[in-house]
Amino acid sequence: AQSVTQPDIHITVSEGASLELRCNYSYGATPYLFWYVQSPGQGLQLLLKYFSGDTLVQGIKGFEAEFKRSQSSFNLRKPSVHWSDAAEYFCAVDSGEHGSSNTGKLIFGQGTTLQVKP
Amino acid sequence: DAGVIQSPRHEVTEMGQEVTLRCKPISGHDYLFWYRQTMMRGLELLIYFNNNVPIDDSGMPEDRFSAKMPNASFSTLKIQPSEPRDSAVYFCASSFSTGTGFPDFGPGTRLTVT
């Protein structure tokens, strides 16, 4: 069965420092991968997605993620974190059921809470 | 586009009462999803529809939960009777079935059952 693991439940970084949030997935075929961000009391906003092609994906708010098939990973990165990036981040994989490679039916990781120190 | 619209945003009810959550998907989207978020279980899919037809309801916790999509612009998630363990944030999401589609999430409904 497909699964997503985010090993870090909570991460604290200083403002201006670089950030990497880890995500590992378990999936038999070519995965469709996503990163969403959730600010407190808000819904989920898509940061970026990977479907195919270039393994380095650029997203909104200066985020990027790299798909590494050999490591079954899709880590999220940002070179310089801003205080407004404090939020919860979710990695997800499309379950790809019913013969479609992209159903929108997502399996989410448990999330990583990012705290930014001034 | 206004995005996915959910109502109410907050709901507080007593155990045993019926609760109805509502969702208006983005116009033109043909998939609609209901997710639930709790501290213990994270984000889990309850049910999803394609062209108003329920495709997979295996995530619905029990018979107290039901969902309908009478038309392309409206869906409901009903809990009857509600229990304290149903307290969670319920998200509705919609997507378009293209090769690069992705779910757009609504703001969620925070349900508290006392």
Side-chain angles (χ1 to χ4, degrees), chain B:
Chain B
D1 199 314
V4 176
I5 299 172
Q6 291 187 248
S7 63
R9 292 293 309 276
H10 298 89
E11 177 79 40
V12 180
T13 190
E14 292 184 346
M15 182 175 63
Q17 296 298 305
E18 177 180 296
V19 176
T20 299
L21 311 182
R22 297 173 176 80
C23 175
K24 175 179 170 57
I26 292 174
S27 177
H29 282 188
D30 55 350
Y31 278 91
L32 183 138
F33 308 84
W34 283 100
Y35 285 87
R36 179 172 67 175
Q37 185 179 34
T38 62
M39 289 292 292
M40 292 298 296
R41 301 175 65 89
L43 275 158
E44 52 182 347
L45 180 68
L46 300 178
I47 184 171
Y48 78 99
F49 297 82
N50 180 217
N51 292 320
N52 313 337
V53 176
I55 301 300
D56 184 352
D57 65 354
S58 60
M60 296 286 260
E62 48 197 276
D63 292 346
R64 297 184 297 106
F65 285 70
S66 63
K68 294 182 179 179
M69 192 166 185
N71 57 62
S73 59
F74 184 65
S75 177
T76 60
L77 178 66
K78 185 176 295 186
I79 308 173
Q80 166 62 17
S82 58
E83 297 182 3
R85 60 194 169 120
D86 301 330
S87 298
V89 180
Y90 291 82
F91 288 103
C92 178
S94 68
S95 69
F96 184 53
S97 58
T98 67
T100 57
F102 62 91
D104 272 299
F105 281 77
T109 295
R110 180 173 296 277
L111 174 65
T112 303
V113 183
T114 61

Side-chain angles (χ1 to χ4, degrees), chain A residues 32 34 36 38 41-44 46 49 51 88 90 94 97-98 100 102-110, chain B residues 9 31 33 35 37 39-43 45 48 55-56 91 95 98-107 110:
Chain A
Y32 289 71
F34 306 81
Y36 282 84
Q38 183 181 28
Q42 302 298 311
L44 283 80
L46 182 75
K49 61 186 186 293
F51 284 170
E88 190 161 18
F90 293 92
D94 191 293
E97 296 180 359
H98 304 289
S100 169
N102 174 29
T103 63
K105 178 183 176 183
L106 303 186
I107 297 170
F108 284 89
Q110 284 296 99
Chain B
R9 292 293 309 276
Y31 278 91
F33 308 84
Y35 285 87
Q37 185 179 34
M39 289 292 292
M40 292 298 296
R41 301 175 65 89
L43 275 158
L45 180 68
Y48 78 99
I55 301 300
D56 184 352
F91 288 103
S95 69
T98 67
T100 57
F102 62 91
D104 272 299
F105 281 77
R110 180 173 296 277

Side-chain angles (χ1 to χ4, degrees), chain A residues 5-102:
Chain A
T5 302
Q6 293 180 246
D8 305 305
I9 295 174
H10 190 275
I11 282 184
T12 300
V13 300
S14 297
E15 190 169 16
S18 63
L19 170 71
E20 182 169 31
L21 302 183
R22 295 183 292 164
C23 173
N24 293 98
Y25 65 89
S26 172
Y27 190 71
T30 301
Y32 289 71
L33 296 160
F34 306 81
W35 275 99
Y36 282 84
V37 60
Q38 183 181 28
S39 298
Q42 302 298 311
L44 283 80
Q45 181 183 22
L46 182 75
L47 284 176
L48 47 79
K49 61 186 186 293
Y50 171 78
F51 284 170
S52 65
D54 194 344
T55 56
L56 185 62
V57 180
Q58 301 298 319
I60 62 170
K61 304 185 180 185
F63 285 92
E64 66 178 26
E66 187 171 13
F67 169 59
K68 293 185 177 180
R69 184 187 300 275
S70 61
Q71 299 178 17
S72 297
S73 69
F74 189 56
N75 295 348
L76 182 71
R77 301 194 295 248
K78 186 170 185 178
S80 178
V81 170
H82 188 263
W83 63 267
S84 60
D85 294 325
E88 190 161 18
Y89 291 80
F90 293 92
C91 182
V93 64
D94 191 293
S95 68
E97 296 180 359
H98 304 289
S100 169
S101 58
N102 174 29

